[in-house]
């Protein structure tokens, strides 16, 4: 059962977090509109589409930034408690520091569970709407893997193109290899492959069929045919993982692995972020309390300055590690996602261990 202390701190914890969200979200929307207003007006985008886009934008970015919001709000009200010597009163009354932390942990678990449900139910649809609007009005189709694309399209068939233009649905140096077990049965090559109206057009077509007593080579200047794959499956957009529920994301990753996708780290990073971002609520709560529960001569400003420095360090490390993992095949994605949080948590533990030596009441 929650005691008076628990209810008091929990109310402050959740209230400060919701207040900061209500204050920051309008600022975030205003800044984004100011940045995009020229393109919105020049393209004469319907008002309803813009409103839906802003809703998707708010949900999409709030999911990534809510740990920082939670961190700053927790630091603010905890520093206020420390500055008013309320924490001294709590501890002097016989309440242990671990007992003092209990309502923070309860609140962090509530936020963590809510964020997990939020990221599962609402964020994928918001990510789809946000990215589709961006590519429809603000960006070109450049976020696809277009060079040296290799896929496994079935248990026995593999395709390769050296370059793919998604807008024109055209690929170059196309190769299709069909295997029977470990043996290659035939190989199709074309300098150019184009897709239109469910028909594939192969230019400078060659088919080499391997037999025990030799091989059969067939060549044509042009061939219209039907192949058992969708050409868009060759290069899924890099943001497609963000638009899938967790189970669909796992199925998508399994499918892409079977196709030999060489850019899997983008999807692995997204998979680990689905759980790491909600867990950040707990980590950042511990950090905020460790830093701000100590009253300093500089007042709340010192605690907030330290907290902002930690938050910026986390965002920097998270962005750098994530980018390295997505671009590199030797850097484990789970390390890229969890390492920044572990480093920041270590720092908070260090501060907690030293807090008794640095209290300056």
């Amino acid at each position: 059962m929650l005691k008076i202390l628990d209810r008091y701190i929990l109310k402050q914890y959740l209230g400060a977090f919701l207040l900061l969200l209500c204050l920051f979200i309008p600022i975030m929307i205003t800044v984004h509109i100011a940045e995009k207003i020229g393109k919105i007006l020049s393209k004469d985008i319907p008002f309803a589409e813009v409103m839906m886009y802003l809703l998707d934008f708010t949900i999409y970015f709030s999911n990534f930034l809510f740990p920082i919001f939670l961190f700053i709000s927790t630091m603010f009200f905890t520093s206020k408690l420390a500055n008013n010597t309320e924490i001294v009163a709590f501890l002097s009354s016989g309440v242990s520091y671990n007992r003092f932390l209990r309502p923070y942990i309860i609140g962090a678990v509530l936020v963590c569970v809510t964020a997990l449900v939020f990221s599962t139910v609402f964020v994928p649809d918001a990510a789809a709407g946000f990215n589709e609007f961006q590519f429809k009005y603000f960006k070109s189709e450049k976020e696809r893997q277009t060079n040296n694309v290799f896929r496994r399209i079935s248990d026995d068939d593999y395709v390769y193109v050296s370059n793919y233009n998604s807008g024109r649905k055209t690929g170059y140096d196309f190769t299709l290899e069909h295997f029977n077990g470990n043996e290659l049965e035939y190989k199709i090559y074309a300098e150019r492959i184009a897709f239109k109206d469910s028909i594939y057009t192969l230019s400078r077509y060659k088919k080499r069929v391997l037999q025990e007593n030799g091989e059969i080579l067939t060549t044509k200047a042009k061939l219209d045919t039907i192949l058992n794959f969708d050409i868009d499956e060759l290069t899924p957009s890099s943001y497609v993982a963000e638009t899938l529920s967790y189970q669909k994301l796992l199925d998508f990753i399994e499918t892409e692995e079977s196709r030999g996708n060489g850019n899997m780290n983008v999807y692995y990073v997204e998979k680990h972020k689905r759980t790491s971002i909600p867990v950040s609520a707990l980590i950042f709560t511990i950090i905020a309390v460790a830093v701000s529960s100590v009253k300093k001569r500089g007042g709340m400003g010192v605690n907030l300055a330290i907290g902002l420095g930690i938050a910026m360090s986390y965002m920097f490390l998270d962005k750098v590690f994530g980018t390295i993992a997505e671009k590199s095949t030797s850097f484990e994605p789970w390390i890229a996602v969890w390492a920044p949080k572990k480093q920041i948590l270590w720092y908070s533990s260090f501060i907690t261990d030293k807090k008794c030596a640095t209290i300056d009441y």
Side-chain angles (χ1 to χ4, degrees), residues 19-20 31 34 46 133 160 164 197 234 252 278 293 309 320 353:
L19 178 62
L20 186 63
V31 172
F133 188 94
Y160 167 85
Y164 175 67
D197 299 331
L234 289 176
F252 174 80
S293 61
V320 170
D353 292 339

Side-chain angles (χ1 to χ4, degrees), residues 116 119-121 124 241-253 270-275:
L116 188 61
S119 64
T120 302
V121 178
E242 299 176 351
T243 67
L244 303 174
S245 65
Y246 189 73
Q247 184 56 52
K248 289 183 179 179
L249 175 60
L250 296 181
D251 295 338
F252 174 80
I253 289 175
E270 175 63 24
K271 181 183 74 170
H272 291 294
K273 281 184 177 180
R274 292 293 178 91
T275 53

